[in-house]
Amino acid sequence: MTTESTAQKSGQPSFIPQFTPKLVTVLKDGYSLSHLRADAIAGLTVAVVALPLSMAIAIASGATPAQGLYTAIVGGFLVSLLGGSRFQIGGPAGAFIVLVAATAHTHGMEGLLLATMMSGAMLMLAGFFRLGTYVKFVPYPVTVGFTAGIAVIIFASQIKDIFGLSLSMPEPGPLLEKLPVLVEALPSASPASMVLAGATILAIQGLKRLNPHLPGMLIAVASAAIIAAVAGLPVETIGSKFGGIPTSFPMPHLPGFSMEKVQAVFPSAVAFTLLGAIESLLSAVVADGMTGRRHRSNCELVAQGVANMGSALFGGICVTGTIARTATNVRAGAHGPVAGMLHAVFLLGFILVAAPLAAFIPLASLAGVLAVVAWNMVEKPAFATLLRASRGDALVLLATFGLTIFRDLTEAIIVGFALGSVLFIHRMSQITKVETAVPFVAEDRADDDEGARQPYDEKRMNVPDIVIYRISGAFFFGAAASVGSVLDRINDQHKALIIDFSAVPFADATAANVIELLAHKAQKRNIAVFLAGAAPEVRRELSHHGLRPPHVRYEASIESAVAHAKQN
């Protein structure tokens, strides 16, 4: 029997369908001029957002603004061309700032490019070996914790430019070493830099409230550049620090290669691979939640790998799926991957036509952009909820958060995952019971042995517009992805969804988050959600995460849930 037939027989998709890019699927479905128009508008919208962000992230990472644009152009184009997500936008991401800056500082730019290329090869292998599914096993408190930790480090890295400080020594990377140096340099603060950074932050936030569809970041940065140039403010700009942005695109070249260099940057490449896989698949999941579509995680990893290798060839830095830009792409009305490809083309047009204008952009304004990015990265409601939910989830969250800030991101993810696993094992051991005098094969019993028996009424449970799902076993982060994919299949034709929790002995924060997202989407579709038979411990965990009436209704049994659903 062939590998392909074996895969089909086991229910697994064969190689070619699993790794066929979403672009091919979209084009096969039919691609009209109206689809191209929608993708062009969305691509332009995303490019406007990506333009200042790509430069700001590159500068914060120890690279040049031009390298940030090269990353967004090459990486963004390849991610959309080859990826397994319909709406994913690739490019430089804030989550990588800490790792990229540390690698560039330790191994130089050639070492960073080599690590990026090695990471691309690792991501491709991970996809081809179909390891993308296992990335979904990262517990929810770990993702919330390391994202919040990265946000703190990003903001700390921008304090120098926000205040326009003049340091007497190179700025240290670790937070505990950085803060004393920044405090010592406070007397050198530039009022002009502080005003520009503060005005940029206020403008972005104000425009977001006034009209979320406006490109607030680009408007704020462009306005700051005009004010600084016209008023002749004494602030550092892209032109004064980097000499501007080249008006041509670089030719591809391989980074310096040697076995000693490969061994030296190998830990950084592993860290890039781990974070890139997590970040890109989280971004794809966000797009799925916004659109009701499904991405192919392994195909997406292969595309991310090719994009990282391509970015390194042209002098760019790490590429990953970006949550904010992907969400912007969806909200702008994108039809498919062509939008992401066009966003890269529009950025290339900026380099070829308007690159000299970037020389006037103040670094303080870009620092203000990253300050807003850092603030938005923190999932504040989720962080607070996890702190209140249980001591175990709070421990995982705080350990990941603290290690991210004060130690190392890779170490934080590994320790957080290990703590989450130990916590799960501990919880499972508490609910495991051993029953005695139970035969291997149960004996036959008379129908009336269980007490009063109600006659079966087939009309009672057969209600076409009410769908019932039964979850059996522990509902935790390892099972949340598969359970969530099944529950998401409910369509608008149903008026009620009943989830039977009577066979669920335990539910954790990730599971509660899955049900909360499902309830939120069901509420938008006017579908009532009933949770039947939940044990007190399970109900308490779900309630901690906002699963309370009127969003969901708790019933003692499926029968009572069906009865109440019929009354609505």
Side-chain angles (χ1 to χ4, degrees):
M1 184 178 292
T2 64
T3 303
E4 185 170 340
S5 61
T6 302
Q8 290 173 346
K9 185 175 181 180
S10 63
Q12 295 288 335
S14 59
F15 182 86
I16 293 178
Q18 189 172 16
F19 292 97
T20 299
K22 280 287 185 178
L23 176 64
V24 175
T25 306
V26 171
L27 295 180
K28 280 184 177 179
D29 291 341
Y31 196 78
S32 65
L33 186 61
S34 62
H35 294 150
L36 177 61
R37 187 182 303 111
D39 282 337
I41 294 173
L44 180 60
T45 303
V46 176
V48 166
V49 174
L51 179 61
L53 266 181
S54 300
M55 293 188 290
I57 290 171
I59 293 171
S61 302
T64 66
Q67 286 179 284
L69 291 174
Y70 300 156
T71 306
I73 293 169
V74 178
F77 188 87
L78 291 175
V79 164
S80 296
L81 176 68
L82 303 173
S85 172
R86 192 182 183 106
F87 303 101
Q88 184 85 282
I89 299 295
F96 276 87
I97 288 176
V98 181
L99 290 174
V100 172
T103 304
H105 176 75
T106 305
H107 303 290
M109 191 52 63
E110 285 295 303
L112 170 62
L113 297 180
L114 179 60
T116 302
M117 185 163 287
M118 290 170 59
S119 172
M122 293 178 189
L123 283 166
M124 288 182 64
L125 288 174
F128 283 131
F129 280 105
R130 308 190 184 194
L131 301 179
T133 304
Y134 296 99
V135 177
K136 300 173 185 177
F137 288 175
V138 177
Y140 185 57
V142 174
T143 61
V144 174
F146 84 71
T147 302
I150 290 170
V152 172
I153 296 176
I154 290 175
F155 179 77
S157 70
Q158 299 308 301
I159 293 176
K160 173 182 175 294
D161 289 329
I162 289 175
F163 288 90
L165 303 178
S166 299
L167 305 183
S168 58
M169 58 180 291
E171 184 176 2
L175 185 64
L176 293 179
E177 299 176 18
K178 181 196 303 282
L179 292 179
V181 175
L182 295 175
V183 171
E184 183 182 350
L186 280 178
S188 66
S190 165
S193 295
M194 289 189 287
V195 169
L196 283 178
T200 299
I201 295 172
L202 291 175
I204 293 172
Q205 296 297 88
L207 289 171
K208 183 179 179 180
R209 292 190 176 185
L210 180 65
N211 188 345
H213 298 290
L214 289 175
M217 289 184 180
L218 184 64
I219 293 174
V221 170
S223 300
I226 293 172
I227 293 171
V230 172
L233 298 179
V235 294
E236 199 170 24
T237 63
I238 287 179
S240 64
K241 184 170 182 177
F242 300 101
I245 294 177
T247 56
S248 60
F249 205 70
M251 295 297 294
H253 70 281
L254 289 170
F257 176 84
S258 69
M259 288 308 299
E260 291 78 13
K261 199 70 172 177
V262 169
Q263 292 176 356
V265 302
F266 182 77
S268 296
V270 173
F272 292 163
T273 302
L274 181 62
L275 181 58
I278 294 172
E279 188 76 6
S280 61
L281 295 186
L282 280 178
S283 177
V285 168
V286 169
D288 289 348
M290 295 177 68
T291 61
R293 293 289 183 173
R294 284 283 166 192
H295 74 282
R296 293 192 298 274
S297 56
N298 294 309
C299 180
E300 185 63 27
L301 287 184
V302 172
Q304 296 289 336
V306 175
N308 274 277
M309 297 179 73
S311 175
L313 279 175
F314 286 91
I317 56 177
C318 294
V319 178
T320 188
T322 55
I323 296 176
R325 275 160 273 177
T326 299
T328 300
N329 188 40
V330 174
R331 287 194 291 264
H335 176 73
V338 174
M341 297 164 65
L342 289 176
H343 124 271
V345 173
F346 288 130
L347 288 175
L348 177 61
F350 170 79
I351 285 184
L352 299 178
V353 176
L357 299 177
F360 298 100
I361 297 176
L363 297 186
S365 180
L366 291 179
V369 169
L370 285 182
V372 174
V373 170
W375 175 255
N376 291 336
M377 280 180 68
V378 182
E379 299 178 56
K380 295 169 278 292
F383 199 101
T385 298
L386 288 169
L387 286 178
R388 296 192 305 266
S390 70
R391 285 181 294 180
D393 287 327
L395 173 63
V396 175
L397 172 73
L398 293 177
T400 307
F401 178 68
L403 288 171
T404 301
I405 295 176
F406 300 112
R407 288 286 298 174
D408 175 73
L409 183 59
T410 307
E411 182 178 327
I413 294 175
I414 293 173
V415 171
F417 183 83
L419 284 176
S421 302
V422 171
L423 177 63
F424 168 71
I425 294 172
H426 173 67
R427 285 171 168 171
M428 290 300 294
S429 67
Q430 286 185 319
I431 64 172
T432 301
K433 297 180 180 179
V434 179
E435 296 181 0
T436 59
V438 178
F440 181 73
V441 178
E443 296 178 354
D444 286 345
R445 293 184 178 182
D447 289 338
D448 293 327
D449 278 359
E450 299 294 336
R453 183 172 61 89
Q454 298 293 331
Y456 177 73
D457 182 3
E458 67 275 6
K459 297 181 180 179
R460 186 179 181 187
M461 301 302 293
N462 187 18
V463 185
D465 55 357
I466 298 176
V467 61
I468 301 173
Y469 284 102
R470 184 172 187 263
I471 303 175
S472 300
F475 191 14
F476 68 111
F477 59 84
S482 57
V483 173
S485 65
V486 174
L487 295 179
D488 276 344
R489 294 172 188 168
I490 182 173
N491 55 52
D492 296 333
Q493 297 174 352
H494 298 106
K495 74 174 186 179
L497 166 65
I498 300 174
I499 306 176
D500 182 11
F501 272 81
S502 60
V504 177
F506 160 73
D508 70 353
T510 308
N513 182 61
V514 168
I515 300 298
E516 195 275 333
L517 291 175
L518 174 68
H520 182 69
K521 287 194 287 187
Q523 190 176 31
K524 286 185 176 180
R525 301 175 183 176
N526 295 319
I527 301 173
V529 178
F530 294 83
L531 306 183
E537 297 81 8
V538 174
R539 180 169 178 172
R540 191 178 304 115
E541 179 69 19
L542 298 177
S543 298
H544 277 311
H545 289 266
L547 287 164
R548 295 183 289 269
H551 301 297
V552 297
R553 307 178 196 180
Y554 290 89
E555 296 292 341
S557 64
I558 293 180
E559 290 79 5
S560 62
V562 171
H564 283 91
K566 288 180 178 179
Q567 295 173 3
N568 292 341

